[in-house]
Amino acid sequence: MEEKKLPSRQENYSEWYNQLVLRSEMADYAPVRGCMVVRPYGWALWENIQKALDNRFKATGHVNAAFPLLIPQSFMTKEKEHVEGFAPELAVVTHGGGEKLEEPLVVRPTSETIIGTMYAKWIQSYRDLPVLVNQWANVVRWEMRTKLFLRTLEFYWQEGHTAHATEQEAIEETERMLDVYADFAINEAAVPVIKGRKSETEKFAGAKATYSIEAMMGDTKALQSGTSHFLGQNFAQAFDIKFLDENNQLQFCWTTSWGISTRFIGAIIMTHGDDQGLILPPRLAPIQVVVVPIYRKDEEKALVMEKVEEVTKALSAFRVKVDAREGLTPGFKFNDWELKGVPLRIEIGPKDVQNGTLALARRDIPGRDGKSFVPMAGCTQTVADMLETIQASLLTKATKFRDDHIFEVESYEQLKDVVNDKGWAVGWWSDDRENEAKIKEETRATLRCYAPSEGEGVCFFTGRKTNKKAYFARGY
RNA sequence: CGGGGUGUAGCGCAGUCGGCUAGCGCGCUGCGUUUGGGACGCAGAGGUCGACGGUUCGAGUCCGUCCACCCCGACCA
């Protein structure tokens, strides 16, 4: 290990992030530029994210399926805006089995086109609707600049694709899944997110409307952490997804798509992490409790390990890891597990054996303040309560941080000031593409999403009356 | 694609006025002592110095070409 300590977030946030991802063994750089290897610890976190999301998808009536990785290139060109949006970042397969292919195949950057093609085949009648399918998959987008988890050439995600008989139903689905994402983010990951609609400039290529959940990272930058698209009949028309309604009239379907990716791991890291390392929310943490045995002599070891055994048995309802590595000092192990963000640590030493106690150390409260000695009897409940407390306090802390860094602005000058180093700006906004582009060019801040608003106000940029409000921030 | 940086042991680096056996720290292996906030001693293992070409008696070091990766911008989940 080169340096024992991570760079602090203050001195170099980006470097803090990069080193943390590598050193916590979440991910590593792959041999190909811009690609990453998700290591077992990172993948275990992703699996927990998957479970939490998948349960919610099933509970809202969705089923999983798997569509192919390779898509005929011609599919990509059928929806005009879609092709314009994705053409620059496609990976294309031109050869197979040593032969040049008749038609090149693109590696899916997203699956609307292939899934739309299949839906056209499967949907005939209003009785076939709605179709509510999700797939867990990897996709490839040839990005220019990459960063572990946040933007890599290949990433893992889920993409839901639904088809409905009416516009209203499709809109409701779009909103429902946005709510599902927000519920997951807030209640599982303790990542407070803001739900909102994207501007015309920022919306998905081919969508009628895009909604997103936006999270604030530790450096106050915004991260789009999940998206839900109302596709109208755009893809239905491009891929000929039609059905006969009750009146024997041929109609185009209304479709939606929505996704959350491994980028969300980045959101968790940058929402909760501190200078000591990761802090993982208990509900998603691969390891919820780490037990560190402490002893000097063999006699002590025997007694301590006996107690460790007892405790892990009592904690079988949790994801527990015993760090029995020999030859490492307790201090080293404490730092190691703090780097890896395990929410709760239990120390068991000779004193505890003698007193019938356990030493608990909360990851979210560093140092002495986070330590407590509790009776071993009843530790199952103590740990359960403690994990709940940690989960809740992470959310409270992150929410406060976010709210402390969002500022109402009434002028462009104020926005520039806020967005430069203070956080997010929110203000009345007379929606205009050109002005939005200008703000982006001059401040590097983008319109993250529209904010809830009541009545009318004066646009901070144009001075015109408007009924819309919007968040602006620099983003990832 | 523009700007910056880096390629020498698993990781981090030194060596770059050409010179003989390529070095340091961490990590790794073995043994011993340690262990309640990043332990220590001793003994070891580990290298086609990013690739190709050139100059030279001699190249990690000089020259040329190429490649790769990282960071900062334009593009994006």
Side-chain angles (χ1 to χ4, degrees):
Chain A
M1 209 140 304
E2 62 290 8
E3 284 276 334
K4 283 180 177 173
K5 277 199 169 304
L6 284 169
S8 75
R9 287 169 301 165
Q10 178 117 46
E11 69 183 298
N12 191 342
Y13 198 82
S14 180
E15 199 47 37
W16 167 83
Y17 178 84
N18 288 334
Q19 285 201 28
L20 180 50
V21 170
L22 295 173
R23 288 175 55 180
S24 63
E25 299 182 348
M26 285 263 145
D28 202 351
Y29 293 105
V32 177
R33 175 197 77 90
C35 291
M36 68 174 165
V37 175
V38 181
R39 301 185 66 176
Y41 191 57
W43 194 257
L45 176 59
W46 179 237
E47 284 177 334
N48 290 338
I49 291 170
Q50 286 184 303
K51 276 178 221 152
L53 284 170
D54 208 61
N55 287 339
R56 284 167 168 78
F57 299 157
K58 302 277 168 62
T60 44
H62 302 85
V63 290
N64 285 330
F67 293 83
L69 175 73
L70 299 174
I71 301 175
Q73 191 168 45
S74 57
F75 283 25
M76 287 304 296
T77 62
K78 289 187 180 176
E79 211 286 334
K80 191 170 155 287
E81 287 179 26
H82 196 62
V83 63
E84 283 171 12
F86 281 103
E89 51 186 53
L90 290 177
V92 183
V93 179
T94 56
H95 288 74
E99 301 281 320
K100 188 161 187 282
L101 298 175
E102 193 84 358
E103 179 185 351
L105 301 170
V106 307
V107 180
R108 64 183 167 210
T110 177
S111 303
E112 276 76 6
T113 61
I114 181 82
I115 292 179
T117 301
M118 299 315 291
Y119 281 6
K121 202 170 156 184
W122 296 338
I123 297 168
Q124 318 275 334
S125 148
Y126 70 95
R127 293 181 217 274
D128 298 327
L129 297 171
V131 173
L132 307 173
V133 170
N134 174 65
Q135 83 165 340
W136 290 95
N138 56 340
V139 289
V140 169
R141 298 179 187 179
W142 219 262
E143 301 289 350
M144 293 176 192
R145 216 178 124 208
T146 60
K147 198 173 174 77
L148 293 167
F149 287 121
L150 301 183
R151 185 172 303 104
T152 45
L153 299 198
E154 179 185 14
F155 59 91
Y156 301 85
W157 75 347
Q158 57 69 217
E159 46 179 328
H161 295 269
T162 69
H164 307 263
T166 68
E167 177 174 26
Q168 186 53 32
E169 254 187 61
I171 290 174
E172 281 167 15
E173 169 76 2
T174 309
E175 289 168 357
R176 178 180 311 118
M177 297 324 286
L178 186 70
D179 288 342
V180 161
Y181 285 160
D183 176 64
F184 156 79
I186 294 166
N187 295 312
E188 301 284 347
V191 172
V193 290
I194 287 175
K195 295 186 291 185
R197 187 176 162 182
K198 286 281 189 187
S199 68
E200 286 300 299
T201 336
E202 297 284 332
K203 76 176 188 195
F204 176 73
K208 279 276 188 237
T210 287
Y211 299 81
S212 72
I213 49 172
E214 297 287 327
M216 184 186 284
M217 303 296 97
D219 60 354
T220 75
K221 276 187 174 174
L223 183 73
Q224 180 175 316
S225 309
T227 49
S228 187
H229 313 294
F230 169 60
L231 304 175
Q233 293 178 311
N234 289 355
F235 283 87
Q237 284 170 6
F239 292 91
D240 214 28
I241 314 173
K242 288 183 295 202
F243 68 99
L244 273 178
D245 69 13
E246 297 91 324
N247 306 314
N248 203 33
Q249 297 291 307
L250 204 51
Q251 303 234 24
F252 284 112
C253 286
W254 300 83
T255 66
T256 80
S257 68
W258 26 274
I260 273 190
S261 74
T262 35
R263 164 181 267 199
F264 201 89
I265 292 175
I268 291 174
I269 296 171
M270 288 193 287
T271 297
H272 302 304
D274 67 11
D275 289 347
Q276 213 42 240
L278 300 175
I279 301 179
L280 299 179
R283 298 227 175 103
L284 296 177
I287 300 170
Q288 296 172 305
V289 181
V290 66
V291 180
V292 179
I294 299 161
Y295 49 80
R296 294 162 201 266
K297 306 164 199 130
D298 281 351
E299 310 89 81
E300 283 180 350
K301 180 179 174 183
L303 288 170
V304 165
M305 291 316 285
E306 192 181 313
K307 183 112 173 185
V308 166
E309 185 84 3
E310 225 174 292
V311 170
T312 48
K313 206 169 266 176
L315 299 180
S316 60
F318 309 98
R319 298 187 285 272
V320 178
K321 162 105 184 162
V322 177
D323 187 354
R325 288 178 291 179
E326 298 281 352
L328 294 174
T329 62
F332 179 91
K333 292 179 180 180
F334 298 166
N335 283 285
D336 197 34
W337 294 111
E338 279 165 11
L339 178 74
K340 289 196 163 77
V342 175
L344 189 60
R345 180 178 74 237
I346 298 181
E347 303 164 20
I348 304 179
K351 288 181 215 159
D352 301 299
V353 175
Q354 202 168 31
N355 303 334
T357 57
L358 304 172
L360 298 190
R362 285 173 61 163
R363 175 61 183 91
D364 62 323
I365 304 179
R368 285 247 155 75
D369 298 341
K371 272 206 185 188
S372 57
F373 293 86
V374 302
M376 156 139 188
C379 69
T380 314
Q381 192 58 46
T382 314
V383 166
D385 292 346
M386 188 70 93
L387 289 174
E388 278 306 304
T389 306
I390 294 169
Q391 180 83 29
S393 108
L394 287 178
L395 180 61
T396 306
K397 193 176 168 194
T399 306
K400 181 174 187 322
F401 180 85
R402 179 195 69 189
D403 293 344
D404 285 349
H405 292 88
I406 298 180
F407 300 90
E408 291 267 353
V409 295
E410 289 174 351
S411 70
Y412 188 32
E413 283 312 307
Q414 286 178 1
L415 178 132
K416 282 188 197 165
D417 179 52
V418 165
V419 135
N420 187 43
D421 62 351
K422 293 188 173 64
W424 298 8
V426 59
W428 292 104
W429 173 243
S430 62
D431 212 13
D432 183 300
R433 233 191 159 94
E434 279 173 33
N435 291 339
E436 192 182 325
K438 196 172 171 197
I439 291 176
K440 183 175 177 181
E441 195 185 315
E442 291 178 359
T443 67
R444 280 166 47 218
T446 50
L447 196 165
R448 303 311 303 182
C449 64
Y450 297 112
S453 61
E454 274 178 32
E456 284 196 330
V458 178
C459 172
F460 70 83
F461 195 80
T462 60
R464 292 203 295 259
K465 276 211 160 179
T466 175
N467 59 4
K468 278 186 186 164
K469 277 187 153 188
Y471 291 100
F472 283 83
R474 287 186 186 158
Y476 277 98

